[in-house]
Amino acid sequence: MKIILLGPPGAGKGTQAASIREKYGIPHISTGDIFRENVRLGSPLGVEARKYMDAGQLVPDNLVVSMVADRLEKPDCVRGFLLDGFPRTLPQAEALDSYLTSKGTVLDGVILLDVDDETVVLRLSGRRVCRACGQIYHSTFKPSRSGNRCEVCGGETYQRDDDTEKVIRNRLTVYHQQTTPLISFYKEKGILRAVDAKASSGNVMNAIESLCANRS
Ligand code: AP5
Ligand code: MG
């Protein structure tokens, strides 16, 4: 299964991706996570990407596209993949199409997690993430039972640098300007399915599961 999770920052892409990966056994490829790992390691890609991420801007297409193409070459992608946060611009979507065509394959579907801006601000302002395993929490909606520690692995939880209200609002503006054109792009291909992402995490996952079960 080759699918994309599309949606604004804070829609719940990372949260749902963890369940989808577990249920369908496909790798979860989050461009944001790959960039943050590069920032942590201080790699040249990380140093370059950080300038954009801290401001809530998109990293230039050429850097993202080659990074994803490299990742899709890894053996674990043979059975499929789940893309989270990629593509985010029309040139990225077109590059992905060309890449898949060159491999003789196509996407099975694009799941749009639909949520309003104020819900996003509320979700991202309270988000906490485990430094060690990446588990996602929320100070109100999903607090860790271990306080400032991850209840899964005991790692420290932290607030992402780009989860301040000012940067969240910039990310939303960028989403509306640069990423929403992808909704029509995939609608025209007949592979876009929208899910109400304001619902509880469990209900969102149920909706995704029924879309995956009924995909043609
Ligand atoms: P990225 O890491 O992809 O960030 P994003 O798109 O802004 O999305 P988030 O990770 O913030 O939100 P999410 O949808 O995963 O929500 P989550 O599940 O965590 O990208 C970061 C940056 O990297 C970009 O700004 C850009 O600079 C760069 N970048 C990445 N990809 C790029 C690309 N392709 N091109 C160019 N640049 C790129 O949930 C959020 C919170 O809500 C959590 O606290 C969670 O517990 C809570 N929550 C989730 N679901 C629910 C629910 N149903 N009910 C209540 N609470 C919920
Ligand atoms: Mg995410």
Side-chain angles (χ1 to χ4, degrees), residues 9-10 12-15 28 30 32-33 36 84-85 127 136 160 171:
K13 301 183 296 293
T15 300
H28 165 209
S30 156
D33 286 349
R36 278 184 290 280
D84 157 4
R127 174 168 58 187
I136 302 167
R160 266 171 48 177
R171 285 154 66 199

Side-chain angles (χ1 to χ4, degrees), residues 34-50:
I34 301 175
F35 284 133
R36 278 184 290 280
E37 179 62 6
N38 276 276
V39 168
R40 192 183 67 80
L41 295 171
S43 74
L45 177 64
V47 171
E48 183 63 16
R50 184 169 196 167

